[in-house]
Amino acid sequence: MNLDLEPEDRKFRDEVRAFLDASLTPELREVGRHATSVFTEKRHSTPWQRILHAKGWVAPSWPVEYGGTGWNEMRRYIFTAECARAGAPNLAPMGLKMVGPVIMKFGTPEQKAHYLPRILSGEDYWCQGYSEPGAGSDLASLQMKAVADGDDYVLNGSKIWTTHAQWATHMFCLVRTSTEGKPQAGITFLLLPMDLPGITVEPIITLAGEHEVNQVFFDNVRVPQSGRVGEENQGWTVAKHLLEFERGGGASPGLRATIERLREVARLETADGERLIDDPRFRMKLVDAEIAVQAVEVSEHRVLSALSAGKNPGAVSSLLKTQGTEAMQRLDEVGIEAAAHYAAVAQPVDVGAGRNFPLIGPEHLLALTARYLNNRAASIYGGSNEIQRDIVAKLVLGL
């Protein structure tokens, strides 16, 4: 596994850096600097998506025939790393990274022609209808019913923890179309617009004080059967394909950028008259967290090496999900210690032009507590870390 960049890759890295330096406005950089989760508010992510779309770089992992870049694994990694280094805001992942690849693999020609260009441009903004009040990590136990009626399905039930449903124009959704046989056998994958009669979105305010997730209620909602992806009762196969993208790698560039931010915070903050960066105890915690990030980087480079050789990395996506979320949470804990008493201050982490409230404490400490609280869920969503370890134990260790 050779981790050195080839000359053409170094040239590409320099091209990406030049583009980011020229294209990231001060407001977009501030948005990236104060991000508290992997999701950026629609009002901030959409302008950045339009810039990338105009450049042709909005979907690095998509095939060229669908509007992607055609980059190899290394170039995609370089692009991700440079975006993290520059502080670019994250794009909404539900369309570009999740349902887009599903439509490419399982969608009809009509679905591909309609949805894929709109996902690239950001015209359609997606949310994910998977979890329910009684079906989270045990997703196969979902109960929201879809009953066939003519050319439609009639939906009744609810979805919960639905990120950005308050802004979404569309949802990709798992519904129960049969109760016979194994629970996985009666699930169907649907695409639906969020403005259908009978859909109600209720906000859920997180511990961080943010409106990121929601509960969505369906009361006799009629969804055309033309929105079905794959065959009826075969949605579990489609869902498993999507989870490969939700649990995939690419975390280490963001983690590396977080370390650099925390190192800068440690240079600016003091305890007992001494800079935190000069405190051996604090410095040891930061170094321990950096070692965890290096382990994630090595795992991701192994995946890059396998993919570049045409191999399937297998259950390593579950390994990376576990490694990445635990390293991120360790960094969050270091950040809370650096913030000290300012970590207990409740204030909105508003970003961008137009902030109309005074900050309590230094700006570089503003997002640390919200980020810590938000990221506690990272080891649960997308399949809990306990489930990821079970997958690794079964598929890798044969237990």
Side-chain angles (χ1 to χ4, degrees):
M1 182 173 61
N2 184 7
L3 301 183
D4 294 330
L5 294 181
E6 298 293 336
E8 60 268 23
D9 291 328
R10 288 196 294 270
K11 182 179 179 181
F12 174 72
R13 179 197 61 193
D14 294 341
E15 180 186 357
V16 172
R17 286 182 179 177
F19 168 75
L20 293 173
D21 288 344
S23 302
L24 282 170
T25 65
E27 182 175 356
L28 287 173
R29 292 179 188 272
E30 185 179 11
V31 169
R33 187 168 64 250
H34 290 153
T36 59
S37 81
V38 297
F39 292 92
T40 303
E41 287 193 13
K42 182 181 180 181
R43 63 193 173 106
H44 299 306
S45 66
T46 300
W48 179 230
Q49 181 165 344
R50 292 194 186 107
I51 292 172
L52 289 173
H53 185 234
K55 178 68 173 175
W57 287 2
V58 75
S61 61
W62 284 28
V64 172
E65 60 265 32
Y66 293 123
T69 60
W71 292 340
N72 61 23
E73 300 293 338
M74 179 55 74
R75 293 202 170 189
R76 291 202 290 268
Y77 187 85
I78 290 170
F79 180 72
T80 300
E82 291 304 316
C83 285
R85 185 191 65 84
N90 292 325
L91 298 182
M94 297 298 190
L96 290 166
K97 293 185 178 181
M98 296 185 188
V99 76
V102 163
I103 293 172
M104 289 178 213
K105 183 174 179 64
F106 297 99
T108 65
E110 293 78 12
Q111 289 170 338
K112 294 175 184 178
H114 177 75
Y115 286 117
L116 295 180
R118 297 165 67 92
I119 291 173
L120 287 174
S121 68
E123 184 176 355
D124 288 350
Y125 193 91
W126 290 80
C127 63
Q128 180 186 52
Y130 273 27
S131 294
E132 297 179 5
S137 291
D138 182 19
L139 186 59
S141 64
L142 66 88
Q143 295 299 314
M144 193 171 96
K145 292 183 178 180
V147 178
D149 183 22
D151 293 333
D152 297 336
Y153 288 111
V154 179
L155 275 56
N156 283 282
S158 73
K159 295 294 179 179
I160 202 167
W161 313 125
T162 315
T163 304
H164 286 190
Q166 73 271 31
W167 295 316
T169 61
H170 291 76
M171 173 188 283
F172 56 94
C173 187
L174 291 180
V175 295
R176 182 155 300 285
T177 45
S178 174
T179 56
E180 298 179 2
K182 295 194 305 181
Q184 293 90 337
I187 293 173
T188 298
F189 194 104
L190 290 181
L191 310 176
L192 59 94
M194 288 292 288
D195 59 357
L196 293 174
I199 295 179
T200 304
V201 178
E202 295 290 344
I204 298 174
I205 306 303
T206 67
L207 280 174
E210 298 174 320
H211 179 194
E212 183 173 285
V213 294
N214 306 268
Q215 186 166 7
V216 183
F217 296 90
F218 294 79
D219 182 13
N220 289 322
V221 177
R222 300 188 73 90
V223 177
Q225 291 197 30
S226 60
R228 186 182 68 230
V229 177
E231 299 298 322
E232 186 173 283
N233 298 326
Q234 298 299 312
W236 190 252
T237 299
V238 180
K240 286 194 298 182
H241 180 74
L242 185 145
L243 284 173
E244 292 179 16
F245 297 93
E246 185 174 3
R247 295 172 180 171
S252 64
L255 295 174
R256 177 61 61 184
T258 299
I259 288 174
E260 296 307 317
R261 286 197 299 266
L262 288 177
R263 190 170 279 118
E264 180 62 22
V265 168
R267 294 189 187 101
L268 297 171
E269 292 301 306
T270 60
D272 299 324
E274 181 181 39
R275 293 193 312 165
L276 284 178
I277 198 67
D278 297 324
D279 178 357
R281 186 188 61 83
F282 182 86
R283 195 164 62 242
M284 181 62 71
K285 289 187 176 182
L286 189 58
V287 169
D288 284 344
E290 186 168 7
I291 291 171
V293 173
Q294 289 174 344
V296 176
E297 288 176 325
V298 170
S299 294
E300 288 187 348
H301 282 300
R302 285 175 175 160
V303 171
L304 280 176
S305 179
L307 292 173
S308 298
K311 300 177 182 177
N312 187 341
V316 74
S317 61
S318 291
L319 174 65
L320 282 172
K321 167 62 162 69
T322 304
Q323 279 187 298
T325 54
E326 291 182 352
M328 178 172 61
Q329 290 171 349
R330 183 179 294 189
L331 287 169
D332 289 337
E333 291 169 2
V334 174
I336 289 296
E337 181 170 342
H341 51 278
Y342 287 114
V345 178
Q347 57 181 326
V349 186
D350 196 12
V351 294
R355 182 189 291 125
N356 59 1
F357 60 89
L359 294 180
I360 302 172
E363 184 179 2
H364 58 262
L365 302 179
L366 177 62
L368 293 177
T369 298
R371 192 174 292 136
Y372 168 86
L373 293 171
N374 193 303
N375 286 340
R376 300 314 296 171
S379 47
I380 299 174
Y381 61 62
S384 71
N385 281 11
E386 290 77 12
I387 286 178
Q388 307 307 328
R389 286 188 168 90
D390 283 347
I391 293 171
V392 171
K394 179 180 180 181
L395 298 182
V396 178
L397 302 178
L399 299 179

